[in-house]
Amino acid sequence: MRFRGNTQFASAVGLLFGLLCAAEAAKVNKHKPWIETTYHGIVTENDDKVLLDPPLIALDKDAPLRYAESFEVTLTEEGEICGFRIHGQNVPFEAVVLDKSTGEGVIRAKDKLDCELQKEHTFTIQAYDCGEGPDGANMKKSHKATVHIQVNDINEYSPVFKEKSYKATVIEGKKYDSILKVEAVDADCSFQFSQICSYEIVTPDVPFTIDKDGFIKNTEKLSYGKEHMYKLTVTAYDCGKNRASEDVLVKISVKPTCKPSWQGFNKRIEYEPGTGSLALFPSIHLETCDEPITSIRANVELETNHIGKGCDRDTYSEKSLHKLCGASSGTVELLPAPSSSANWTVGLPTDNGHDSDQVFEFNGTQAIKVPDGMVSTSLKDPFTISVWMRHGPGAHEKETILCNSDKTEMNRHHYSLYVHNCRLILLLRQDPSEAENYKPAEFHWKLDQACDKEWHHYVLNVEFPAVSLFVDGTAFEPFLVTEDYPLHATKIESQLTVGACWQENSGHDNDTETVSEPTSGGSGRMAQFFRGNLAGLMIRSGKLENKKVIDCLYTCKEGLDVQLPEEVASAVKVEFNPNQSSLTVEGDDVDAFDKVMQHISYLNSRQFPTPGIRHLRISTTVKCFNEESCVAVPDAEGYVMVLQPEEPKISLSGIDHFARSATEFESQEGVTLFPELRIVSTITREVEADAESEAAEGADDDPTVQETVVSEEIMHNLDTCEVTVVGDELDGEHEGLEVDMSQLQQRGLEMSSSNLGLVINGVNTMANYEQVLHLIRYKNWHTEALFDRKFKLVCSELNGRYISNDFKVEVNVIHTANPVEHANNAMVQANFINPVHHASVDLSGHNLVNAHQASVVPSAATIVIVVCVSFLVFMIILGVFRIRAAHQRTMRDQESGKENEMDWDDSALTITVNPMETYEDQHSSEEEEEEEEESEDGEEEDDITSAESESSEDEEGGEPEDQQGASRQQQLEWDDSTLTY
């Protein structure tokens, strides 16, 4: 039993020992963890969890079989998986163990992934167990497995077009398979979301369509006349149905079917006066549609027939124009502008005569008679007739331009110029001579110009028997010359007429009309009336007009010009017509031709051109190799708009009221009317106010009012100044106006006078006119009954287009009853001048001296005497006790020779008589007026008040003492400033 018991004990000890040995053996980490060699994973951009295939599980043989059905054991640390390690640079993933006992784990993203930056990631992973013992010693690692992870895309981006806009040009009348392609891109990384699946035209009702690839085409034929350009809005969609973030604009221009024409031609061209030459076609070019061109011919025409007499010319009088062109003296103007010295054209219909030339209209019922003595042409001497005429196809009767015929009885025509059946005819009957033979009497020219309703300039140089005709500067020979006997000798006077012929009523011509105005020798009537327009009719005696003067008279101040570039000067030919209103360009190279056309310009050399439209037309002929017109180029039309020039304001200023002694009026020199005359011309311009000036003005003035107008002084010529008497006409027997003729001749000016005044004519500067007007003198040889004379001065430019203000001057005559010799003649001032002090002309507002602001001077010596006597009586009544003292003081003054005057003066009373004091303002006190009413009647009261007003005015004027002393000479003055009542 004991043995048996010992045996059992020994077995138990052995079993326990075996179990302990087995437990020690189980704690030894003998094996490495095991994982798959390759893993594939998928992760979405907005998620961090990676789906792996196969799942991430690590196995370790050190771990007991957990799934054995009959075996249960406690799991030890040596069989557990403690973690996974990822190998690689910047790997955005991490591996996490979910269950150590099973070795299960997952891979997840550490940060948000971006498929657009990186679509795939590859790295290696390794598992490790927990090792031996509590400190994890002898840890085992598995092999490295490769992990491939793909990042799945989400549709986060919208399509974007590659271009901001698209443009294309199509030709009208054609259908296109594709006009242009638009293209959009999507930034998503996946094929599904990065692909553009469709395009769409958003603009409704347009004849275009777009396919899925972005190609646009038209659905119908386009018309340039219907629409020049189409603007389409296009959008795009990706395959995830996201629309483009911004739609794109597509412009499709419709080009007309290629037609040869001038391109780049502006129809309206504005010309600013005074700017010189202006290029008309700076961007023009000829479209030939690639035709083989051999020659080009273009005619550029500037239509100016409606301006003045065919174009813009200076509008001075015809006489002035002849002188400017170099013609010598002796020219007589038969159709002058109506004036006081040339009034026979009054009543003839004219244009306004301001913006352009003044022309006279003859409608078949009007004519004028030239005053006798105006023309003294002897037919034996050479003479010239020049005229501007516009005449259309008329009746078959004679239409007379100029006629010199008998005043009475015989109705003979001595010479005449007339139109008949579009022929210009000069009749020239010779005076009686010893040999009465046939001589040339009628010269006929057949002219298209005589009936084309356009303005033409005609010049006839007559040096009998030769007659030369120039039309617009071109010479014409007569096609027919007829002869006749000279006229018989008579003593009948002749009558010169314009627009018809004068004849006696005894005539039987049906084309006549009775003239209402009386004529010497009986009543008469006009015959052979002219129908058309005339201007500038002149006769010049003694000398023929040379070709240079004729060309100058006809030359226009406006026209076309061209400056040929050197590189094309030899390839292109340019020709002008005489007045440069048209030019012709010929060449065979299109590029060179375009350059020449681009250098054609418009020029108007007038300082104040006639405003308005000048039409332009380009007519073109193009030939090809077969020398025929293969390309039809339509005419290009436009116009030049000459803007309104800034009109000058001519201002006359100076002394407008003064007095002189009667002896000066009667002297040889006379009295100068305009001693301090000034002529100034200004123009007004509109300017934009700058910001600084606006701010300064806004501080003081109304901020809504801005100064945008300024004036500046300019220089230009004058052609007429007229001095007329205001009131009664001049009596030539004892008064008149004179001017130094030598000074006029030096300046090329002429003077004509009448009982109304005088007129100075001629184109010259304002300074020269100013100097000449300073020399005009007025004389009067009988001044006993003359107290004052008034005159008016008016100056003008361009034959009355710009007229100055009326400058009126009043001159008073000083009559002296008892002249006293002066001890010192050097102290005597013979002139009593009431000057108007003129500051410099204010150009900002044309501030000129007002002629009525000057002090008024008594107009009659009688009034002066009445005033003096009345004032003297009044002062004697009030101050008789002071007369003796005043008289003694006056005697002492005369003896000293300091003043030549009668003076009553003491501490309280000063009596002076000045006939040249002003009588405007009344400054007497009410107390003085009451005392005057008690002592004197109403008339005396008025005189006293005027005198007192004058004294106050002189004191307030603040004149220097020397001027006051000079003004007190030859006058008596009452000074009651110290007198008490």
Side-chain angles (χ1 to χ4, degrees):
M1 278 302 286
R2 182 183 295 183
F3 177 77
R4 183 177 182 181
N6 290 336
T7 303
Q8 293 177 342
F9 176 78
S11 298
V13 172
L15 178 59
L16 179 61
F17 181 77
L19 291 174
L20 291 174
C21 291
E24 291 295 329
K27 291 181 180 181
V28 177
N29 191 10
K30 294 181 178 181
H31 301 91
K32 296 179 179 181
W34 178 88
I35 57 176
E36 300 286 347
T37 58
T38 303
Y39 294 90
H40 293 277
I42 298 174
V43 63
T44 305
E45 281 184 313
N46 58 356
D47 195 4
D48 62 349
K49 185 177 181 181
V50 181
L51 299 178
L52 286 178
D53 182 26
L56 181 59
I57 297 177
L59 301 177
D60 195 330
K61 292 183 179 179
D62 293 326
L65 296 177
R66 296 187 57 181
Y67 303 103
E69 296 179 357
S70 58
F71 185 76
E72 293 181 6
V73 66
T74 302
L75 186 64
T76 61
E77 292 181 358
E78 288 79 5
E80 293 181 349
I81 301 300
C82 279
F84 298 93
R85 183 170 296 166
I86 294 176
H87 299 277
Q89 290 185 346
N90 301 322
V91 177
F93 297 96
E94 62 181 359
V96 179
V97 177
L98 297 180
D99 189 343
K100 291 183 178 182
S101 61
T102 61
E104 182 181 0
V106 294
I107 297 177
R108 60 189 179 190
K110 294 188 290 185
D111 298 311
K112 184 178 180 181
L113 301 176
D114 191 347
C115 174
E116 286 71 33
L117 295 178
Q118 189 170 350
K119 297 176 63 174
E120 293 183 354
H121 298 269
T122 300
F123 54 88
T124 58
I125 191 172
Q126 192 176 29
Y128 59 91
D129 57 19
C130 294
E132 299 179 1
D135 56 355
N138 198 19
M139 176 182 63
K140 299 293 184 180
K141 299 179 181 179
S142 69
H143 62 273
K144 294 181 179 180
T146 302
V147 181
H148 300 280
I149 298 178
Q150 178 180 341
V151 181
N152 279 356
D153 186 25
I154 61 174
N155 195 9
E156 58 182 330
Y157 291 99
S158 299
V160 177
F161 286 95
K162 288 185 175 181
E163 303 290 340
K164 292 183 178 180
S165 64
Y166 293 86
K167 297 180 181 180
T169 301
V170 297
I171 299 176
E172 65 174 348
K174 183 179 178 181
K175 288 191 67 174
Y176 291 82
D177 294 333
S178 175
I179 297 175
L180 78 160
K181 180 184 179 181
V182 297
E183 187 176 359
V185 293
D186 195 308
D188 289 312
C189 63
S190 64
F191 179 82
Q192 176 185 3
F193 298 140
S194 64
Q195 294 299 308
I196 306 300
C197 283
S198 65
Y199 293 90
E200 180 184 347
I201 297 176
V202 180
T203 306
D205 302 326
V206 289
F208 299 94
T209 185
I210 188 170
D211 61 15
K212 63 182 183 62
D213 296 321
F215 289 99
I216 298 176
K217 63 180 181 180
N218 55 320
T219 57
E220 62 184 41
K221 294 180 179 180
L222 305 178
S223 172
Y224 179 80
K226 182 179 179 181
E227 192 71 43
H228 293 359
M229 175 185 289
Y230 290 90
K231 296 181 179 180
L232 314 177
T233 301
V234 177
T235 190
Y237 294 91
D238 61 18
C239 294
K241 299 302 180 180
N242 267 7
R243 181 173 174 171
S245 57
E246 290 185 5
D247 299 337
V248 71
L249 178 64
V250 179
K251 296 180 181 180
I252 299 177
S253 300
V254 181
K255 185 178 180 181
T257 304
C258 185
K259 298 176 182 178
S261 62
W262 288 104
Q263 304 290 331
F265 173 58
N266 293 328
K267 291 188 176 182
R268 177 185 171 96
I269 303 141
E270 290 188 354
Y271 181 79
E272 183 74 26
T275 56
S277 182
L278 173 67
L280 297 176
F281 322 113
S283 304
I284 199 171
H285 70 277
L286 180 62
E287 177 60 61
T288 60
C289 297
D290 299 328
E291 291 287 343
I293 304 299
T294 58
S295 67
I296 310 171
R297 177 187 175 92
N299 181 65
V300 182
E301 183 179 1
L302 179 72
E303 295 183 2
T304 60
N305 295 336
H306 61 291
I307 303 296
K309 299 190 291 286
C311 65
D312 211 2
R313 296 180 175 90
D314 282 331
T315 57
Y316 296 118
S317 66
E318 199 68 21
K319 195 171 185 178
S320 297
L321 290 175
H322 275 69
K323 185 172 291 187
L324 288 174
C325 288
S328 58
S329 59
T331 302
V332 179
E333 191 171 3
L334 301 183
L335 284 176
S339 65
S340 60
S341 59
N343 57 2
W344 62 88
T345 56
V346 175
L348 276 180
T350 67
D351 69 345
N352 56 27
H354 290 280
D355 288 344
S356 59
D357 298 321
Q358 186 177 52
V359 300
F360 295 89
E361 180 183 355
F362 294 84
N363 59 10
T365 63
Q366 296 144 324
I368 62 169
K369 294 192 297 183
V370 179
D372 295 338
M374 289 295 301
V375 179
S376 59
T377 298
S378 173
L379 299 183
K380 295 180 181 179
D381 297 329
F383 67 94
T384 298
I385 300 175
S386 66
V387 64
W388 285 93
M389 181 178 71
R390 178 170 60 187
H391 182 262
H396 296 289
E397 295 85 5
K398 295 180 180 179
E399 298 182 44
T400 301
I401 301 170
L402 177 67
C403 180
N404 186 280
S405 60
D406 289 339
K407 272 190 177 182
T408 58
E409 301 178 7
M410 302 184 67
N411 293 332
R412 298 177 307 171
H413 294 184
H414 297 259
Y415 62 88
S416 68
L417 180 65
Y418 61 93
V419 179
H420 188 208
N421 292 332
C422 295
R423 298 180 183 182
L424 185 67
I425 302 171
L426 174 65
L427 171 66
L428 195 62
R429 299 292 301 276
Q430 291 298 300
D431 292 333
S433 61
E434 295 180 358
E436 293 188 358
N437 300 324
Y438 277 102
K439 294 183 178 181
E442 279 191 338
F443 301 82
H444 297 248
W445 292 270
K446 191 173 183 179
L447 302 169
D448 294 335
Q449 293 90 332
C451 292
D452 63 358
K453 295 183 179 180
E454 301 292 345
W455 279 106
H456 298 284
H457 187 231
Y458 301 83
V459 177
L460 284 160
N461 277 337
V462 180
E463 191 172 19
F464 193 80
V467 179
S468 301
L469 172 66
F470 295 88
V471 181
D472 297 339
T474 303
F476 288 83
E477 294 296 329
F479 81 96
L480 176 64
V481 178
T482 61
E483 296 181 344
D484 201 349
Y485 279 108
L487 295 173
H488 297 290
T490 63
K491 295 183 180 181
I492 302 174
E493 294 182 355
S494 62
Q495 175 65 58
L496 183 61
T497 56
V498 178
C501 264
W502 175 259
Q503 67 179 30
E504 269 292 291
N505 277 336
S506 58
H508 299 286
D509 194 334
N510 292 329
D511 188 15
T512 61
E513 180 174 310
T514 301
V515 178
S516 60
E517 57 185 289
T519 59
S520 60
S523 63
R525 57 184 174 180
M526 294 289 188
Q528 302 171 5
F529 285 94
F530 180 78
R531 296 173 178 84
N533 296 99
L534 297 176
L537 179 57
M538 308 284 294
I539 289 184
R540 182 183 177 197
S541 303
K543 192 174 182 181
L544 302 179
E545 209 75 274
N546 60 53
K547 186 65 167 58
K548 183 179 179 180
V549 174
I550 294 173
D551 291 340
C552 175
L553 292 172
Y554 176 69
T555 301
C556 295
K557 292 293 185 178
E558 66 175 339
L560 300 174
D561 192 17
V562 61
Q563 299 294 330
L564 290 178
E566 294 182 0
E567 62 271 17
V568 299
S570 60
V572 178
K573 180 181 178 182
V574 180
E575 293 181 351
F576 289 89
N577 70 335
N579 62 355
Q580 291 191 296
S581 63
S582 69
L583 61 85
T584 301
V585 184
E586 294 185 12
D588 53 8
D589 182 80
V590 177
D591 293 336
F593 203 90
D594 288 345
K595 288 184 179 180
V596 173
M597 294 292 293
Q598 292 168 4
H599 284 77
I600 295 176
S601 59
Y602 170 79
L603 176 64
N604 194 316
S605 60
R606 294 190 63 192
Q607 186 176 11
F608 306 108
T610 304
I613 291 176
R614 279 78 163 162
H615 288 281
L616 276 172
R617 180 181 293 105
I618 305 177
S619 304
T620 311
T621 303
V622 178
K623 293 184 179 181
C624 297
F625 286 104
N626 55 5
E627 294 297 326
E628 295 182 357
S629 298
C630 58
V631 177
V633 180
D635 292 350
E637 296 184 355
Y639 61 92
V640 177
M641 172 59 75
V642 178
L643 302 179
Q644 179 75 36
E646 294 166 338
E647 297 190 359
K649 180 180 180 180
I650 306 172
S651 302
L652 309 179
S653 61
I655 299 176
D656 60 353
H657 202 171
F658 59 91
R660 297 289 187 271
S661 64
T663 56
E664 288 195 41
F665 287 92
E666 299 173 355
S667 66
Q668 184 66 28
E669 291 78 12
V671 174
T672 302
L673 289 183
F674 312 106
E676 296 184 13
L677 178 71
R678 286 200 62 201
I679 305 177
V680 176
S681 183
T682 57
I683 59 173
T684 302
R685 298 182 185 274
E686 293 186 1
V687 297
E688 295 181 0
D690 54 23
E692 294 181 1
S693 63
E694 289 181 5
E697 291 173 0
D700 300 326
D701 302 331
D702 185 356
T704 61
V705 179
Q706 298 180 1
E707 293 292 339
T708 59
V709 178
V710 298
S711 296
E712 60 183 51
E713 184 175 349
I714 63 169
M715 301 301 297
H716 59 76
N717 293 329
L718 298 176
D719 61 354
T720 302
C721 280
E722 183 174 4
V723 181
T724 56
V725 62
V726 179
D728 297 336
E729 297 181 356
L730 295 172
D731 189 345
E733 294 182 359
H734 60 79
E735 65 177 339
L737 295 172
E738 294 183 1
V739 66
D740 190 344
M741 296 303 297
S742 62
Q743 294 293 329
L744 288 177
Q745 293 173 359
Q746 289 180 8
R747 294 166 174 81
L749 300 175
E750 296 182 357
M751 188 269 290
S752 60
S753 61
S754 66
N755 57 354
L756 298 178
L758 62 81
V759 179
I760 300 176
N761 293 307
V763 180
N764 216 313
T765 63
M766 292 187 295
N768 280 338
Y769 263 95
E770 195 174 274
Q771 295 172 5
V772 169
L773 291 172
H774 288 168
L775 304 176
I776 295 179
R777 303 181 303 275
Y778 170 68
K779 293 183 180 181
N780 193 305
W781 300 275
H782 300 285
T783 59
E784 293 81 3
L786 179 66
F787 302 120
D788 59 54
R789 256 314 196 179
K790 297 179 181 179
F791 299 90
K792 181 179 70 174
L793 172 64
V794 177
C795 295
S796 65
E797 163 70 336
L798 295 175
N799 207 17
R801 180 177 177 183
Y802 302 117
I803 303 176
S804 72
N805 61 304
D806 292 349
F807 180 65
K808 296 181 180 180
V809 173
E810 181 177 349
V811 182
N812 296 106
V813 181
I814 303 174
H815 295 275
T816 56
N818 296 315
V820 180
E821 292 186 1
H822 296 274
N824 186 359
N825 291 329
M827 297 291 292
V828 178
Q829 180 181 349
N831 305 335
F832 292 91
I833 300 179
N834 193 2
V836 179
H837 299 282
H838 298 283
S840 59
V841 176
D842 184 6
L843 298 180
S844 64
H846 304 298
N847 290 333
L848 300 174
V849 177
N850 187 347
H852 300 288
Q853 292 176 355
S855 299
V856 177
V857 181
S859 60
T862 303
I863 299 176
V864 174
I865 295 173
V866 172
V867 171
C868 296
V869 174
S870 301
F871 202 1
L872 181 61
V873 171
F874 173 70
M875 297 306 298
I876 290 174
I877 294 174
L878 296 180
V880 66
F881 62 95
R882 299 182 182 271
I883 291 177
R884 182 177 179 82
H887 179 67
Q888 292 175 355
R889 181 178 179 83
T890 302
M891 296 302 293
R892 288 196 300 271
D893 291 340
Q894 289 181 350
E895 290 174 359
S896 64
K898 294 181 179 179
E899 292 183 358
N900 185 13
E901 62 182 7
M902 297 182 65
D903 243 335
W904 289 266
D905 193 7
D906 59 5
S907 60
L909 175 63
T910 301
I911 303 175
T912 310
V913 175
N914 183 358
M916 289 310 304
E917 292 293 330
T918 57
Y919 295 87
E920 283 185 348
D921 301 328
Q922 299 188 4
H923 301 288
S924 298
S925 64
E926 296 181 357
E927 180 181 353
E928 292 173 343
E929 291 178 354
E930 292 176 357
E931 293 180 4
E932 289 165 1
E933 290 177 356
E934 295 175 357
S935 59
E936 299 295 331
D937 58 10
E939 181 180 356
E940 292 174 344
E941 177 188 359
D942 294 339
D943 296 338
I944 294 169
T945 306
S946 301
E948 292 174 346
S949 300
E950 177 188 357
S951 177
S952 300
E953 184 178 341
D954 292 341
E955 292 177 0
E956 292 174 1
E959 295 181 356
E961 292 183 358
D962 56 344
Q963 293 184 6
Q964 291 181 358
S967 66
R968 295 211 315 260
Q969 296 178 11
Q970 293 185 348
Q971 66 183 5
L972 295 176
E973 181 177 325
W974 284 263
D975 187 355
D976 56 357
S977 60
T978 60
L979 181 61
T980 59
Y981 299 95

